[in-house]
Amino acid sequence: MVNGFGLAVPPRSIFPPSLTSNHIEGKAVDMTISWKNTIKVKKKDGTVIDIPFMQNVNGNTALHQAGESYGVKKLKSDAPHWSYNGR
Amino acid sequence: MKILITIMIAMTLMACAKDSDSAARSYNLAWFHGNCLALNETTIKTDWNIFLLKESKEVIKATLGKKVEDDSCAPLLQDRREVNEAEGYSFYQLVGSEAVADEEIGVALLTTEEILPEGLDTNNNKQADSFSYCTTSEGVVFYSWDAEKGELEPFWQEYYYMGYDVEPSCKF
């Protein structure tokens, strides 16, 4: 069962799972986004911004701005994590 | 004359000792999970010593083994692999780390030195370093800091994505 469900028990992890995560209420999503060079993205207000690809997604402030305009905020400590409140 | 030569030799030896003491030692910082070392540094040689800093303050000496690309290395488990590889890490087996349990994690020091000196100063700023780890919402941050700036301003940190949500403990 541990393997089947990929449960994070030792030796996979020593940390118990969070019981307060935004994922539990479906208010967060983990996603890995990649593209080549720079793309143009329309924000919710209609303005178009250039977003370069950056290996470090936590440092890609232009991407964060685009997401935030639609109410999807980046949690900067964890690369794939986005949510309604940035946590 | 004899006294003069003795003094000159003594001064030369003192100068050499001073140079040796102040010579910057080279350390690289990394992290481990069980028998697996995560490296984002490509200049490490297989004959370097690896010191694993356990949470119990015990230090285990190991050496670099073969590169691992399957999920026998915990950071390469299916739910973690993509993000950890995107962070730029390569993963290596640790040789001689039998005293490290499979679930243990911590900071690793890689160096050509045979032993770790007292007051270890990996960033060569004449301040002893401290090492620890804390959790973010989905991972672990390994970090090191100087006494002057304190734990909230680490001079080195690396991230380990765990693939599920944990309670965050990091204060920075």
Side-chain angles (χ1 to χ4, degrees), chain B residues 3 11-12 17 40 61 68 92 95 105 108 125 132 138 167 170:
Chain B
I3 292 172
M11 288 178 69
T12 305
N40 63 9
K61 193 173 177 182
V68 181
Y92 293 84
V95 178
I105 61 173
N125 67 348
S132 190
E138 296 182 335
E167 290 296 339
C170 293

Side-chain angles (χ1 to χ4, degrees), chain A residues 18-28 81 87, chain B residues 137-138 165-167:
Chain A
S18 169
L19 301 178
T20 58
S21 165
N22 276 329
H23 285 294
I24 295 170
E25 294 185 3
K27 293 179 176 177
H81 188 94
R87 292 195 295 271
Chain B
S137 291
E138 296 182 335
D165 282 35
V166 297
E167 290 296 339

Side-chain angles (χ1 to χ4, degrees), chain B residues 115-128:
Chain B
I115 56 171
L116 293 182
E118 289 288 323
L120 182 63
D121 176 20
T122 61
N123 55 345
N124 296 306
N125 67 348
K126 300 190 181 348
Q127 291 188 48

Side-chain angles (χ1 to χ4, degrees), chain A residues 6 8 10-23 30 32 55 58 75 77-81 87, chain B residues 33 74 77 79-80 82-83 86-87 102-103 105 133 135-140 159-162 164-167:
Chain A
R12 289 170 178 244
S13 174
I14 56 174
F15 304 107
S18 169
L19 301 178
T20 58
S21 165
N22 276 329
H23 285 294
D30 287 347
T32 304
Q55 192 68 42
N58 288 333
L75 175 65
S77 62
D78 295 279
H81 188 94
R87 292 195 295 271
Chain B
H33 183 159
L77 287 166
D79 55 354
R80 311 175 185 182
E82 186 176 358
V83 175
E87 293 283 329
D102 290 345
E103 68 270 21
I105 61 173
Y133 63 79
T135 51
T136 60
S137 291
E138 296 182 335
V140 180
Y159 176 70
Y160 173 19
Y161 177 67
M162 299 290 285
Y164 72 103
D165 282 35
V166 297
E167 290 296 339

Side-chain angles (χ1 to χ4, degrees), chain A residues 5 28-29 52 61 65 72:
Chain A
F5 286 96
V29 61
T61 53
Q65 285 172 22
V72 185

Side-chain angles (χ1 to χ4, degrees), chain B residues 64-125:
Chain B
L64 196 65
K66 66 178 183 180
K67 189 171 183 180
V68 181
E69 295 183 333
D70 61 30
D71 63 7
S72 61
C73 202
L76 291 175
L77 287 166
Q78 186 184 5
D79 55 354
R80 311 175 185 182
R81 169 186 286 271
E82 186 176 358
V83 175
N84 288 322
E85 286 183 333
E87 293 283 329
Y89 300 119
S90 297
F91 299 93
Y92 293 84
Q93 193 177 58
L94 288 164
V95 178
S97 61
E98 292 77 13
V100 176
D102 290 345
E103 68 270 21
E104 282 187 278
I105 61 173
V107 174
L109 288 162
L110 295 89
T111 177
T112 54
E113 304 289 326
E114 287 297 321
I115 56 171
L116 293 182
E118 289 288 323
L120 182 63
D121 176 20
T122 61
N123 55 345
N124 296 306
N125 67 348

Side-chain angles (χ1 to χ4, degrees), chain B residues 4 32 42 51 65 86 88-89 109 113 120 134 148-149:
Chain B
L4 180 63
F32 67 94
T42 57
F51 296 92
Y89 300 119
L109 288 162
E113 304 289 326
L120 182 63
C134 58
E148 188 176 80
K149 288 197 170 177

